Amino acid sequence: AATQSMCLGYYDGLTWQDAQEMFRGAAREVIAETWFAARGMSADEQPTEGPKTLLDIGCSGGFSTQEMAKAFPGVQATGVDLSPYYLSVAKFLYPQHRFMHALAEETGLPDESFDVVTLNFLLHELPLDASRAALREACRLLAPGGMIAILDVDPRRLLELPPLRRWAFQVTEPWCKDGEYYSLDMEKELKDLGFEAVKLMANDPVNALLVARKAK
């Protein structure tokens, strides 16, 4: 329920379903356009050169896996999470996808085995070192030319909040603080890992979307 209702405050007068479609749909559109543009094609042409495999790291109850898979109809989507309870929910709600118990930092999956890797609202939940390890793991798992997409709270927006509102948010988000998530420069981290075409943009009034391509 929290995952589905989190965006109600982003837009006025929308149901949670419409708000979800607006902000998740915005991310999917950019992700699909980025994938096909890198291959000299348009997503509007419904090309057959879409990615074959997608990995959603930190999939929770599977909602993000389902939403990201919509960007590429027919893709084989896999979600990994540390919680067996969330995974039970994911397997029940989305049996069309594969779900596995694994650490974000060390999934145990084969090298270069996915065309797309997504991380939805994961990194702000992790210590800085774990976030960096998860990004390294995502790089290892991506095939050359594959794409990473990170949708998460924009730390710049959080730092703009009045002190009391920022404190109220941080009470429930222990890693959203100086020296941890606020110090994670995702653009720099991905460039240091060898990613190309790194682009960070606003996805909605609160969250940021980052897309990048692994070098061939």
Side-chain angles (χ1 to χ4, degrees), residues 131-152:
S131 292
R132 287 171 169 159
L135 293 176
R136 290 193 297 271
E137 178 72 349
C139 182
R140 181 186 71 80
L141 294 170
L142 271 174
M147 182 176 66
I148 188 172
I150 303 169
L151 179 61
D152 214 321

Side-chain angles (χ1 to χ4, degrees), residues 56-132:
D56 185 33
I57 298 179
C59 67
S60 186
F63 186 74
S64 62
T65 312
Q66 169 69 3
E67 290 298 306
M68 293 296 99
K70 290 179 183 177
F72 304 108
V75 73
Q76 294 179 355
T78 300
V80 298
D81 201 272
L82 187 59
S83 168
Y85 305 103
Y86 278 142
L87 290 170
S88 295
V89 173
K91 292 175 181 178
F92 177 77
L93 292 177
Y94 308 106
Q96 68 273 34
H97 305 313
R98 180 176 67 150
F99 295 98
M100 300 176 54
H101 185 252
L103 283 167
E105 309 95 305
E106 190 177 355
T107 63
L109 293 165
D111 292 355
E112 301 182 352
S113 52
F114 292 92
D115 298 319
V116 177
V117 172
T118 62
L119 299 90
N120 287 261
F121 301 100
L122 173 66
L123 298 182
H124 80 275
E125 303 279 6
L126 301 178
L128 182 59
D129 288 346
S131 292
R132 287 171 169 159

Side-chain angles (χ1 to χ4, degrees), residues 178-190:
D178 294 334
E180 296 293 346
Y181 185 63
Y182 293 163
S183 300
L184 179 63
D185 186 338
M186 287 186 280
E187 290 176 284
K188 181 179 184 302
E189 295 290 340
L190 292 185

